[in-house]
Amino acid sequence: MLTFYRNALAAFIATLVLTALVVYVGIVKSTLDASLFPGRDAAFLWASAIEPKKPEGKTQVMLKSEVGTVEYDFFLDPEKPFPYTHYSIYFVDPIQSFVQVDLRRFAEISFKIQCDPKNVLMLVLFSFDDKVTNLNNMSSRRVSSTAFSCDKSWSEITINLADLDTPHWWLGRYGYEFSDTGYQLNKTMGFAWVNSLQSPLNTPSHVKLTDVKLLGTDHRYIYAAAAVSLVLWIVFFVWLFRRYVTVLTVDIREKVKQDQPLMAYKKLSIEPQKDKEKSAVLRFMATEYANPELSLEMAAAALGVNRTKINDILKEELGLTFSTYLNKLRLTEAARLLSENEEANVSEIAYSVGYNNVSYFNKLFKTEYGCVPKTFKVLYPLKDSS
């Protein structure tokens, strides 16, 4: 049985390691990370644009670089009620100037940004609106946005795509109710970094932008990893159970085989012995073991032999003390009765071999044979014994 436990531990560790590997691969595969800038994922082709293209009053934007870092300057005219500038990326393909991409697999957009002076900008998602958008008029794209702060230090901003809101001015312009703030990620047309109402007016502003990424999780790989892990553990426990039953059956057979001398002594004890004291002790044990009141004191009184002598005889003959021999004799007889009678009642057998307490009998039996009597009946029927 010790070898079984060692093998079971090794199999458990192997299954645990394999499960960890499967889960790790599942997590890695499920992690979506599409780079838009400066690296460009082949699935997301885009072109950049600035607005306004030409100065409007004093309001203007100037793109300075798109190599490694997007750098642009803008200036907001304090005389205008809502001066507006932006740097945008809009999705394209080799044929069309404007395309819609499905971003439902992605949950977030992240980027690093630096602003001088401190600023509050808006991240805007442009999407195609079935009722409103006209590809010949890009201002009809649905606008959904959220604000973020930036300063002279590089900041990493992560925005959940589900947290963007369509502003009231856009909804009102196109006759939507203000509660209708939803947008379709599967019809995304691009992103823009836009000044907000809290951006400084009449002040030159400089922006640096890099490491723009789309982040998400493909849950199919998580589910697949969980399913494979479950199968691994089912296989492990099935193997463990079957192996345990096999090993336990072998151990039971070996134990019963080892206990056969006890039965032999039981039979021989009723035959004449040269050593009368030994014969008397063995005969007494063989005939009285089923008495639940049997004790060393009772045996000594019945045989007229002192307790030490009885123990000496049993140790010399079997290497066991009185109480140990008595339990082994009772349990061996119980094992024989269980194996010979498939319909045997465990309680009746316990009483028949000298145990008034069935729970105590079950405990002793399990200690002796590694399983409870009911399991023993299944694993060691007489017809299969050898």
PDB file of all heavy atoms in Angstrom, residues 237-272:
ATOM      1  N   PHE A 237      -8.811  10.824 -10.877  1.00  0.00           N
ATOM      2  CA  PHE A 237      -9.575  10.213  -9.791  1.00  0.00           C
ATOM      3  C   PHE A 237     -10.106   8.829 -10.177  1.00  0.00           C
ATOM      4  O   PHE A 237     -10.193   7.947  -9.310  1.00  0.00           O
ATOM      5  CB  PHE A 237     -10.723  11.131  -9.365  1.00  0.00           C
ATOM      6  CG  PHE A 237     -10.279  12.283  -8.515  1.00  0.00           C
ATOM      7  CD1 PHE A 237     -10.394  13.593  -8.965  1.00  0.00           C
ATOM      8  CD2 PHE A 237      -9.719  12.058  -7.261  1.00  0.00           C
ATOM      9  CE1 PHE A 237      -9.971  14.653  -8.184  1.00  0.00           C
ATOM     10  CE2 PHE A 237      -9.295  13.124  -6.470  1.00  0.00           C
ATOM     11  CZ  PHE A 237      -9.421  14.412  -6.934  1.00  0.00           C
ATOM     12  N   VAL A 238     -10.461   8.653 -11.449  1.00  0.00           N
ATOM     13  CA  VAL A 238     -10.882   7.322 -11.900  1.00  0.00           C
ATOM     14  C   VAL A 238      -9.717   6.349 -11.771  1.00  0.00           C
ATOM     15  O   VAL A 238      -9.861   5.222 -11.261  1.00  0.00           O
ATOM     16  CB  VAL A 238     -11.402   7.374 -13.349  1.00  0.00           C
ATOM     17  CG1 VAL A 238     -11.572   5.954 -13.909  1.00  0.00           C
ATOM     18  CG2 VAL A 238     -12.730   8.113 -13.413  1.00  0.00           C
ATOM     19  N   TRP A 239      -8.539   6.793 -12.262  1.00  0.00           N
ATOM     20  CA  TRP A 239      -7.345   5.939 -12.138  1.00  0.00           C
ATOM     21  C   TRP A 239      -7.044   5.660 -10.678  1.00  0.00           C
ATOM     22  O   TRP A 239      -6.737   4.520 -10.307  1.00  0.00           O
ATOM     23  CB  TRP A 239      -6.144   6.637 -12.777  1.00  0.00           C
ATOM     24  CG  TRP A 239      -4.844   5.929 -12.486  1.00  0.00           C
ATOM     25  CD1 TRP A 239      -4.303   4.880 -13.148  1.00  0.00           C
ATOM     26  CD2 TRP A 239      -3.951   6.215 -11.390  1.00  0.00           C
ATOM     27  NE1 TRP A 239      -3.125   4.488 -12.556  1.00  0.00           N
ATOM     28  CE2 TRP A 239      -2.882   5.288 -11.469  1.00  0.00           C
ATOM     29  CE3 TRP A 239      -3.953   7.150 -10.366  1.00  0.00           C
ATOM     30  CZ2 TRP A 239      -1.823   5.282 -10.567  1.00  0.00           C
ATOM     31  CZ3 TRP A 239      -2.892   7.148  -9.456  1.00  0.00           C
ATOM     32  CH2 TRP A 239      -1.844   6.234  -9.554  1.00  0.00           C
ATOM     33  N   LEU A 240      -7.106   6.699  -9.823  1.00  0.00           N
ATOM     34  CA  LEU A 240      -6.801   6.543  -8.407  1.00  0.00           C
ATOM     35  C   LEU A 240      -7.739   5.540  -7.750  1.00  0.00           C
ATOM     36  O   LEU A 240      -7.300   4.661  -6.991  1.00  0.00           O
ATOM     37  CB  LEU A 240      -6.914   7.898  -7.707  1.00  0.00           C
ATOM     38  CG  LEU A 240      -6.508   7.952  -6.232  1.00  0.00           C
ATOM     39  CD1 LEU A 240      -5.006   7.741  -6.098  1.00  0.00           C
ATOM     40  CD2 LEU A 240      -6.910   9.289  -5.612  1.00  0.00           C
ATOM     41  N   PHE A 241      -9.037   5.658  -8.064  1.00  0.00           N
ATOM     42  CA  PHE A 241     -10.011   4.751  -7.458  1.00  0.00           C
ATOM     43  C   PHE A 241      -9.768   3.310  -7.892  1.00  0.00           C
ATOM     44  O   PHE A 241      -9.735   2.390  -7.067  1.00  0.00           O
ATOM     45  CB  PHE A 241     -11.425   5.179  -7.841  1.00  0.00           C
ATOM     46  CG  PHE A 241     -12.498   4.248  -7.358  1.00  0.00           C
ATOM     47  CD1 PHE A 241     -12.881   4.230  -6.026  1.00  0.00           C
ATOM     48  CD2 PHE A 241     -13.105   3.355  -8.239  1.00  0.00           C
ATOM     49  CE1 PHE A 241     -13.858   3.347  -5.574  1.00  0.00           C
ATOM     50  CE2 PHE A 241     -14.087   2.479  -7.795  1.00  0.00           C
ATOM     51  CZ  PHE A 241     -14.460   2.474  -6.464  1.00  0.00           C
ATOM     52  N   ARG A 242      -9.586   3.136  -9.206  1.00  0.00           N
ATOM     53  CA  ARG A 242      -9.372   1.778  -9.711  1.00  0.00           C
ATOM     54  C   ARG A 242      -8.075   1.179  -9.166  1.00  0.00           C
ATOM     55  O   ARG A 242      -8.032   0.001  -8.801  1.00  0.00           O
ATOM     56  CB  ARG A 242      -9.346   1.792 -11.239  1.00  0.00           C
ATOM     57  CG  ARG A 242     -10.708   2.072 -11.864  1.00  0.00           C
ATOM     58  CD  ARG A 242     -10.632   2.017 -13.372  1.00  0.00           C
ATOM     59  NE  ARG A 242     -11.960   2.189 -13.979  1.00  0.00           N
ATOM     60  CZ  ARG A 242     -12.189   2.216 -15.278  1.00  0.00           C
ATOM     61  NH1 ARG A 242     -11.166   2.103 -16.138  1.00  0.00           N
ATOM     62  NH2 ARG A 242     -13.418   2.369 -15.742  1.00  0.00           N
ATOM     63  N   ARG A 243      -7.031   1.998  -9.136  1.00  0.00           N
ATOM     64  CA  ARG A 243      -5.753   1.504  -8.628  1.00  0.00           C
ATOM     65  C   ARG A 243      -5.857   1.166  -7.149  1.00  0.00           C
ATOM     66  O   ARG A 243      -5.315   0.168  -6.685  1.00  0.00           O
ATOM     67  CB  ARG A 243      -4.679   2.572  -8.857  1.00  0.00           C
ATOM     68  CG  ARG A 243      -3.269   2.123  -8.500  1.00  0.00           C
ATOM     69  CD  ARG A 243      -2.849   0.929  -9.313  1.00  0.00           C
ATOM     70  NE  ARG A 243      -1.569   0.404  -8.871  1.00  0.00           N
ATOM     71  CZ  ARG A 243      -1.120  -0.799  -9.159  1.00  0.00           C
ATOM     72  NH1 ARG A 243      -1.865  -1.623  -9.902  1.00  0.00           N
ATOM     73  NH2 ARG A 243       0.051  -1.203  -8.734  1.00  0.00           N
ATOM     74  N   TYR A 244      -6.581   2.025  -6.408  1.00  0.00           N
ATOM     75  CA  TYR A 244      -6.750   1.774  -4.977  1.00  0.00           C
ATOM     76  C   TYR A 244      -7.495   0.464  -4.738  1.00  0.00           C
ATOM     77  O   TYR A 244      -7.111  -0.328  -3.866  1.00  0.00           O
ATOM     78  CB  TYR A 244      -7.515   2.937  -4.348  1.00  0.00           C
ATOM     79  CG  TYR A 244      -7.817   2.734  -2.880  1.00  0.00           C
ATOM     80  CD1 TYR A 244      -6.829   2.876  -1.914  1.00  0.00           C
ATOM     81  CD2 TYR A 244      -9.104   2.374  -2.461  1.00  0.00           C
ATOM     82  CE1 TYR A 244      -7.098   2.681  -0.571  1.00  0.00           C
ATOM     83  CE2 TYR A 244      -9.381   2.169  -1.116  1.00  0.00           C
ATOM     84  CZ  TYR A 244      -8.380   2.328  -0.181  1.00  0.00           C
ATOM     85  OH  TYR A 244      -8.643   2.113   1.149  1.00  0.00           O
ATOM     86  N   VAL A 245      -8.561   0.251  -5.509  1.00  0.00           N
ATOM     87  CA  VAL A 245      -9.323  -0.993  -5.366  1.00  0.00           C
ATOM     88  C   VAL A 245      -8.445  -2.197  -5.671  1.00  0.00           C
ATOM     89  O   VAL A 245      -8.470  -3.214  -4.949  1.00  0.00           O
ATOM     90  CB  VAL A 245     -10.563  -0.989  -6.299  1.00  0.00           C
ATOM     91  CG1 VAL A 245     -11.211  -2.369  -6.346  1.00  0.00           C
ATOM     92  CG2 VAL A 245     -11.574   0.049  -5.821  1.00  0.00           C
ATOM     93  N   THR A 246      -7.636  -2.102  -6.730  1.00  0.00           N
ATOM     94  CA  THR A 246      -6.751  -3.210  -7.103  1.00  0.00           C
ATOM     95  C   THR A 246      -5.734  -3.499  -6.004  1.00  0.00           C
ATOM     96  O   THR A 246      -5.540  -4.650  -5.593  1.00  0.00           O
ATOM     97  CB  THR A 246      -6.014  -2.883  -8.417  1.00  0.00           C
ATOM     98  OG1 THR A 246      -6.970  -2.672  -9.453  1.00  0.00           O
ATOM     99  CG2 THR A 246      -5.082  -4.016  -8.806  1.00  0.00           C
ATOM    100  N   VAL A 247      -5.079  -2.439  -5.522  1.00  0.00           N
ATOM    101  CA  VAL A 247      -4.060  -2.611  -4.484  1.00  0.00           C
ATOM    102  C   VAL A 247      -4.682  -3.109  -3.187  1.00  0.00           C
ATOM    103  O   VAL A 247      -4.124  -3.984  -2.511  1.00  0.00           O
ATOM    104  CB  VAL A 247      -3.315  -1.277  -4.253  1.00  0.00           C
ATOM    105  CG1 VAL A 247      -2.387  -1.369  -3.047  1.00  0.00           C
ATOM    106  CG2 VAL A 247      -2.515  -0.900  -5.496  1.00  0.00           C
ATOM    107  N   LEU A 248      -5.849  -2.553  -2.848  1.00  0.00           N
ATOM    108  CA  LEU A 248      -6.520  -2.976  -1.618  1.00  0.00           C
ATOM    109  C   LEU A 248      -6.920  -4.444  -1.695  1.00  0.00           C
ATOM    110  O   LEU A 248      -6.791  -5.187  -0.724  1.00  0.00           O
ATOM    111  CB  LEU A 248      -7.751  -2.104  -1.380  1.00  0.00           C
ATOM    112  CG  LEU A 248      -8.538  -2.381  -0.092  1.00  0.00           C
ATOM    113  CD1 LEU A 248      -7.653  -2.204   1.129  1.00  0.00           C
ATOM    114  CD2 LEU A 248      -9.758  -1.477  -0.011  1.00  0.00           C
ATOM    115  N   THR A 249      -7.390  -4.861  -2.869  1.00  0.00           N
ATOM    116  CA  THR A 249      -7.771  -6.268  -3.042  1.00  0.00           C
ATOM    117  C   THR A 249      -6.565  -7.181  -2.850  1.00  0.00           C
ATOM    118  O   THR A 249      -6.648  -8.208  -2.171  1.00  0.00           O
ATOM    119  CB  THR A 249      -8.365  -6.487  -4.446  1.00  0.00           C
ATOM    120  OG1 THR A 249      -9.507  -5.641  -4.605  1.00  0.00           O
ATOM    121  CG2 THR A 249      -8.790  -7.934  -4.632  1.00  0.00           C
ATOM    122  N   VAL A 250      -5.436  -6.812  -3.438  1.00  0.00           N
ATOM    123  CA  VAL A 250      -4.213  -7.601  -3.279  1.00  0.00           C
ATOM    124  C   VAL A 250      -3.797  -7.640  -1.817  1.00  0.00           C
ATOM    125  O   VAL A 250      -3.417  -8.700  -1.290  1.00  0.00           O
ATOM    126  CB  VAL A 250      -3.083  -7.015  -4.152  1.00  0.00           C
ATOM    127  CG1 VAL A 250      -1.756  -7.699  -3.846  1.00  0.00           C
ATOM    128  CG2 VAL A 250      -3.416  -7.158  -5.625  1.00  0.00           C
ATOM    129  N   ASP A 251      -3.860  -6.491  -1.142  1.00  0.00           N
ATOM    130  CA  ASP A 251      -3.478  -6.437   0.264  1.00  0.00           C
ATOM    131  C   ASP A 251      -4.396  -7.296   1.131  1.00  0.00           C
ATOM    132  O   ASP A 251      -3.940  -7.958   2.080  1.00  0.00           O
ATOM    133  CB  ASP A 251      -3.515  -4.990   0.757  1.00  0.00           C
ATOM    134  CG  ASP A 251      -2.271  -4.209   0.359  1.00  0.00           C
ATOM    135  OD1 ASP A 251      -1.413  -4.798  -0.331  1.00  0.00           O
ATOM    136  OD2 ASP A 251      -2.164  -3.023   0.729  1.00  0.00           O
ATOM    137  N   ILE A 252      -5.687  -7.265   0.819  1.00  0.00           N
ATOM    138  CA  ILE A 252      -6.637  -8.077   1.588  1.00  0.00           C
ATOM    139  C   ILE A 252      -6.328  -9.559   1.421  1.00  0.00           C
ATOM    140  O   ILE A 252      -6.307 -10.323   2.399  1.00  0.00           O
ATOM    141  CB  ILE A 252      -8.083  -7.770   1.142  1.00  0.00           C
ATOM    142  CG1 ILE A 252      -8.504  -6.389   1.653  1.00  0.00           C
ATOM    143  CG2 ILE A 252      -9.051  -8.838   1.658  1.00  0.00           C
ATOM    144  CD1 ILE A 252      -9.850  -5.938   1.135  1.00  0.00           C
ATOM    145  N   ARG A 253      -6.093  -9.973   0.194  1.00  0.00           N
ATOM    146  CA  ARG A 253      -5.773 -11.386  -0.055  1.00  0.00           C
ATOM    147  C   ARG A 253      -4.506 -11.792   0.698  1.00  0.00           C
ATOM    148  O   ARG A 253      -4.444 -12.875   1.297  1.00  0.00           O
ATOM    149  CB  ARG A 253      -5.592 -11.623  -1.560  1.00  0.00           C
ATOM    150  CG  ARG A 253      -6.875 -11.465  -2.362  1.00  0.00           C
ATOM    151  CD  ARG A 253      -6.628 -11.747  -3.841  1.00  0.00           C
ATOM    152  NE  ARG A 253      -7.821 -11.497  -4.632  1.00  0.00           N
ATOM    153  CZ  ARG A 253      -8.821 -12.362  -4.784  1.00  0.00           C
ATOM    154  NH1 ARG A 253      -8.757 -13.538  -4.164  1.00  0.00           N
ATOM    155  NH2 ARG A 253      -9.874 -12.052  -5.509  1.00  0.00           N
ATOM    156  N   GLU A 254      -3.503 -10.894   0.665  1.00  0.00           N
ATOM    157  CA  GLU A 254      -2.256 -11.204   1.357  1.00  0.00           C
ATOM    158  C   GLU A 254      -2.480 -11.269   2.862  1.00  0.00           C
ATOM    159  O   GLU A 254      -1.927 -12.136   3.545  1.00  0.00           O
ATOM    160  CB  GLU A 254      -1.216 -10.130   1.017  1.00  0.00           C
ATOM    161  CG  GLU A 254       0.167 -10.371   1.585  1.00  0.00           C
ATOM    162  CD  GLU A 254       0.808 -11.648   1.061  1.00  0.00           C
ATOM    163  OE1 GLU A 254       0.474 -12.058  -0.068  1.00  0.00           O
ATOM    164  OE2 GLU A 254       1.644 -12.242   1.794  1.00  0.00           O
ATOM    165  N   LYS A 255      -3.309 -10.348   3.366  1.00  0.00           N
ATOM    166  CA  LYS A 255      -3.582 -10.342   4.797  1.00  0.00           C
ATOM    167  C   LYS A 255      -4.329 -11.593   5.229  1.00  0.00           C
ATOM    168  O   LYS A 255      -4.005 -12.202   6.262  1.00  0.00           O
ATOM    169  CB  LYS A 255      -4.406  -9.088   5.129  1.00  0.00           C
ATOM    170  CG  LYS A 255      -4.661  -8.895   6.615  1.00  0.00           C
ATOM    171  CD  LYS A 255      -3.368  -8.626   7.344  1.00  0.00           C
ATOM    172  CE  LYS A 255      -3.620  -8.392   8.826  1.00  0.00           C
ATOM    173  NZ  LYS A 255      -2.352  -8.241   9.583  1.00  0.00           N
ATOM    174  N   VAL A 256      -5.327 -11.968   4.447  1.00  0.00           N
ATOM    175  CA  VAL A 256      -6.080 -13.188   4.769  1.00  0.00           C
ATOM    176  C   VAL A 256      -5.161 -14.401   4.728  1.00  0.00           C
ATOM    177  O   VAL A 256      -5.234 -15.302   5.579  1.00  0.00           O
ATOM    178  CB  VAL A 256      -7.257 -13.366   3.787  1.00  0.00           C
ATOM    179  CG1 VAL A 256      -7.910 -14.736   3.967  1.00  0.00           C
ATOM    180  CG2 VAL A 256      -8.288 -12.265   4.008  1.00  0.00           C
ATOM    181  N   LYS A 257      -4.269 -14.406   3.740  1.00  0.00           N
ATOM    182  CA  LYS A 257      -3.319 -15.522   3.619  1.00  0.00           C
ATOM    183  C   LYS A 257      -2.403 -15.581   4.838  1.00  0.00           C
ATOM    184  O   LYS A 257      -2.102 -16.666   5.371  1.00  0.00           O
ATOM    185  CB  LYS A 257      -2.502 -15.350   2.349  1.00  0.00           C
ATOM    186  CG  LYS A 257      -1.548 -16.498   2.059  1.00  0.00           C
ATOM    187  CD  LYS A 257      -0.829 -16.263   0.733  1.00  0.00           C
ATOM    188  CE  LYS A 257       0.127 -17.408   0.437  1.00  0.00           C
ATOM    189  NZ  LYS A 257       0.850 -17.202  -0.848  1.00  0.00           N
ATOM    190  N   GLN A 258      -1.949 -14.407   5.290  1.00  0.00           N
ATOM    191  CA  GLN A 258      -1.089 -14.361   6.468  1.00  0.00           C
ATOM    192  C   GLN A 258      -1.817 -14.794   7.727  1.00  0.00           C
ATOM    193  O   GLN A 258      -1.200 -15.325   8.658  1.00  0.00           O
ATOM    194  CB  GLN A 258      -0.546 -12.939   6.652  1.00  0.00           C
ATOM    195  CG  GLN A 258       0.441 -12.501   5.580  1.00  0.00           C
ATOM    196  CD  GLN A 258       0.854 -11.049   5.753  1.00  0.00           C
ATOM    197  OE1 GLN A 258       0.385 -10.356   6.658  1.00  0.00           O
ATOM    198  NE2 GLN A 258       1.725 -10.569   4.864  1.00  0.00           N
ATOM    199  N   ASP A 259      -3.130 -14.550   7.775  1.00  0.00           N
ATOM    200  CA  ASP A 259      -3.906 -14.888   8.972  1.00  0.00           C
ATOM    201  C   ASP A 259      -4.370 -16.332   8.999  1.00  0.00           C
ATOM    202  O   ASP A 259      -4.980 -16.763   9.978  1.00  0.00           O
ATOM    203  CB  ASP A 259      -5.131 -13.971   9.080  1.00  0.00           C
ATOM    204  CG  ASP A 259      -4.739 -12.558   9.488  1.00  0.00           C
ATOM    205  OD1 ASP A 259      -3.597 -12.390   9.960  1.00  0.00           O
ATOM    206  OD2 ASP A 259      -5.569 -11.639   9.331  1.00  0.00           O
ATOM    207  N   GLN A 260      -4.099 -17.078   7.923  1.00  0.00           N
ATOM    208  CA  GLN A 260      -4.532 -18.482   7.898  1.00  0.00           C
ATOM    209  C   GLN A 260      -3.966 -19.307   9.058  1.00  0.00           C
ATOM    210  O   GLN A 260      -4.657 -20.179   9.582  1.00  0.00           O
ATOM    211  CB  GLN A 260      -4.137 -19.132   6.562  1.00  0.00           C
ATOM    212  CG  GLN A 260      -4.963 -18.654   5.380  1.00  0.00           C
ATOM    213  CD  GLN A 260      -6.442 -18.864   5.605  1.00  0.00           C
ATOM    214  OE1 GLN A 260      -6.885 -19.942   5.987  1.00  0.00           O
ATOM    215  NE2 GLN A 260      -7.224 -17.803   5.358  1.00  0.00           N
ATOM    216  N   PRO A 261      -2.704 -19.063   9.494  1.00  0.00           N
ATOM    217  CA  PRO A 261      -2.211 -19.834  10.660  1.00  0.00           C
ATOM    218  C   PRO A 261      -3.085 -19.696  11.885  1.00  0.00           C
ATOM    219  O   PRO A 261      -3.173 -20.613  12.705  1.00  0.00           O
ATOM    220  CB  PRO A 261      -0.818 -19.228  10.890  1.00  0.00           C
ATOM    221  CG  PRO A 261      -0.390 -18.749   9.539  1.00  0.00           C
ATOM    222  CD  PRO A 261      -1.645 -18.252   8.897  1.00  0.00           C
ATOM    223  N   LEU A 262      -3.727 -18.539  12.043  1.00  0.00           N
ATOM    224  CA  LEU A 262      -4.629 -18.364  13.185  1.00  0.00           C
ATOM    225  C   LEU A 262      -5.767 -19.365  13.124  1.00  0.00           C
ATOM    226  O   LEU A 262      -6.161 -19.955  14.124  1.00  0.00           O
ATOM    227  CB  LEU A 262      -5.174 -16.948  13.207  1.00  0.00           C
ATOM    228  CG  LEU A 262      -4.176 -15.825  13.527  1.00  0.00           C
ATOM    229  CD1 LEU A 262      -4.861 -14.481  13.434  1.00  0.00           C
ATOM    230  CD2 LEU A 262      -3.586 -16.025  14.919  1.00  0.00           C
ATOM    231  N   MET A 263      -6.313 -19.567  11.916  1.00  0.00           N
ATOM    232  CA  MET A 263      -7.386 -20.538  11.755  1.00  0.00           C
ATOM    233  C   MET A 263      -6.869 -21.950  11.971  1.00  0.00           C
ATOM    234  O   MET A 263      -7.557 -22.796  12.523  1.00  0.00           O
ATOM    235  CB  MET A 263      -7.987 -20.399  10.352  1.00  0.00           C
ATOM    236  CG  MET A 263      -8.572 -19.011  10.080  1.00  0.00           C
ATOM    237  SD  MET A 263      -9.767 -18.490  11.323  1.00  0.00           S
ATOM    238  CE  MET A 263     -11.002 -19.767  11.127  1.00  0.00           C
ATOM    239  N   ALA A 264      -5.631 -22.157  11.529  1.00  0.00           N
ATOM    240  CA  ALA A 264      -5.048 -23.489  11.739  1.00  0.00           C
ATOM    241  C   ALA A 264      -4.891 -23.776  13.226  1.00  0.00           C
ATOM    242  O   ALA A 264      -5.212 -24.862  13.701  1.00  0.00           O
ATOM    243  CB  ALA A 264      -3.684 -23.571  11.041  1.00  0.00           C
ATOM    244  N   TYR A 265      -4.431 -22.771  13.978  1.00  0.00           N
ATOM    245  CA  TYR A 265      -4.301 -22.958  15.423  1.00  0.00           C
ATOM    246  C   TYR A 265      -5.648 -23.199  16.070  1.00  0.00           C
ATOM    247  O   TYR A 265      -5.779 -23.952  17.013  1.00  0.00           O
ATOM    248  CB  TYR A 265      -3.633 -21.732  16.065  1.00  0.00           C
ATOM    249  CG  TYR A 265      -2.133 -21.786  15.983  1.00  0.00           C
ATOM    250  CD1 TYR A 265      -1.429 -20.873  15.202  1.00  0.00           C
ATOM    251  CD2 TYR A 265      -1.410 -22.761  16.676  1.00  0.00           C
ATOM    252  CE1 TYR A 265      -0.049 -20.926  15.117  1.00  0.00           C
ATOM    253  CE2 TYR A 265      -0.034 -22.823  16.591  1.00  0.00           C
ATOM    254  CZ  TYR A 265       0.645 -21.902  15.814  1.00  0.00           C
ATOM    255  OH  TYR A 265       1.998 -21.958  15.730  1.00  0.00           O
ATOM    256  N   LYS A 266      -6.659 -22.565  15.526  1.00  0.00           N
ATOM    257  CA  LYS A 266      -7.986 -22.751  16.077  1.00  0.00           C
ATOM    258  C   LYS A 266      -8.409 -24.211  15.944  1.00  0.00           C
ATOM    259  O   LYS A 266      -8.986 -24.795  16.858  1.00  0.00           O
ATOM    260  CB  LYS A 266      -8.987 -21.846  15.364  1.00  0.00           C
ATOM    261  CG  LYS A 266     -10.411 -22.012  15.862  1.00  0.00           C
ATOM    262  CD  LYS A 266     -11.358 -21.199  15.034  1.00  0.00           C
ATOM    263  CE  LYS A 266     -12.798 -21.541  15.433  1.00  0.00           C
ATOM    264  NZ  LYS A 266     -13.775 -20.882  14.574  1.00  0.00           N
ATOM    265  N   LYS A 267      -8.087 -24.787  14.774  1.00  0.00           N
ATOM    266  CA  LYS A 267      -8.469 -26.176  14.544  1.00  0.00           C
ATOM    267  C   LYS A 267      -7.587 -27.140  15.324  1.00  0.00           C
ATOM    268  O   LYS A 267      -8.048 -28.127  15.888  1.00  0.00           O
ATOM    269  CB  LYS A 267      -8.388 -26.484  13.054  1.00  0.00           C
ATOM    270  CG  LYS A 267      -9.402 -25.696  12.222  1.00  0.00           C
ATOM    271  CD  LYS A 267      -9.214 -25.942  10.742  1.00  0.00           C
ATOM    272  CE  LYS A 267     -10.212 -25.114   9.945  1.00  0.00           C
ATOM    273  NZ  LYS A 267     -10.033 -25.275   8.484  1.00  0.00           N
ATOM    274  N   LEU A 268      -6.285 -26.817  15.377  1.00  0.00           N
ATOM    275  CA  LEU A 268      -5.363 -27.717  16.066  1.00  0.00           C
ATOM    276  C   LEU A 268      -5.538 -27.686  17.570  1.00  0.00           C
ATOM    277  O   LEU A 268      -5.203 -28.650  18.258  1.00  0.00           O
ATOM    278  CB  LEU A 268      -3.914 -27.335  15.716  1.00  0.00           C
ATOM    279  CG  LEU A 268      -3.496 -27.611  14.272  1.00  0.00           C
ATOM    280  CD1 LEU A 268      -2.110 -27.028  14.002  1.00  0.00           C
ATOM    281  CD2 LEU A 268      -3.496 -29.120  13.995  1.00  0.00           C
ATOM    282  N   SER A 269      -6.050 -26.589  18.082  1.00  0.00           N
ATOM    283  CA  SER A 269      -6.121 -26.440  19.529  1.00  0.00           C
ATOM    284  C   SER A 269      -7.071 -27.425  20.186  1.00  0.00           C
ATOM    285  O   SER A 269      -7.017 -27.620  21.386  1.00  0.00           O
ATOM    286  CB  SER A 269      -6.535 -25.009  19.879  1.00  0.00           C
ATOM    287  OG  SER A 269      -7.834 -24.766  19.390  1.00  0.00           O
ATOM    288  N   ILE A 270      -7.944 -28.032  19.412  1.00  0.00           N
ATOM    289  CA  ILE A 270      -8.874 -28.981  20.021  1.00  0.00           C
ATOM    290  C   ILE A 270      -8.326 -30.405  19.963  1.00  0.00           C
ATOM    291  O   ILE A 270      -8.961 -31.338  20.413  1.00  0.00           O
ATOM    292  CB  ILE A 270     -10.238 -28.931  19.306  1.00  0.00           C
ATOM    293  CG1 ILE A 270     -10.103 -29.286  17.829  1.00  0.00           C
ATOM    294  CG2 ILE A 270     -10.860 -27.559  19.465  1.00  0.00           C
ATOM    295  CD1 ILE A 270     -11.426 -29.368  17.101  1.00  0.00           C
ATOM    296  N   GLU A 271      -7.107 -30.533  19.393  1.00  0.00           N
ATOM    297  CA  GLU A 271      -6.471 -31.849  19.331  1.00  0.00           C
ATOM    298  C   GLU A 271      -5.485 -31.981  20.479  1.00  0.00           C
ATOM    299  O   GLU A 271      -5.021 -30.981  21.042  1.00  0.00           O
ATOM    300  CB  GLU A 271      -5.756 -32.016  17.984  1.00  0.00           C
ATOM    301  CG  GLU A 271      -6.714 -31.948  16.803  1.00  0.00           C
ATOM    302  CD  GLU A 271      -5.971 -32.005  15.482  1.00  0.00           C
ATOM    303  OE1 GLU A 271      -4.728 -32.068  15.525  1.00  0.00           O
ATOM    304  OE2 GLU A 271      -6.640 -31.941  14.437  1.00  0.00           O
ATOM    305  N   PRO A 272      -5.149 -33.249  20.859  1.00  0.00           N
ATOM    306  CA  PRO A 272      -4.206 -33.474  21.977  1.00  0.00           C
ATOM    307  C   PRO A 272      -2.873 -32.789  21.699  1.00  0.00           C
ATOM    308  O   PRO A 272      -2.374 -32.806  20.582  1.00  0.00           O
ATOM    309  CB  PRO A 272      -4.055 -34.989  22.011  1.00  0.00           C
ATOM    310  CG  PRO A 272      -5.288 -35.508  21.366  1.00  0.00           C
ATOM    311  CD  PRO A 272      -5.650 -34.512  20.303  1.00  0.00           C
TER     312      PRO A 272
END
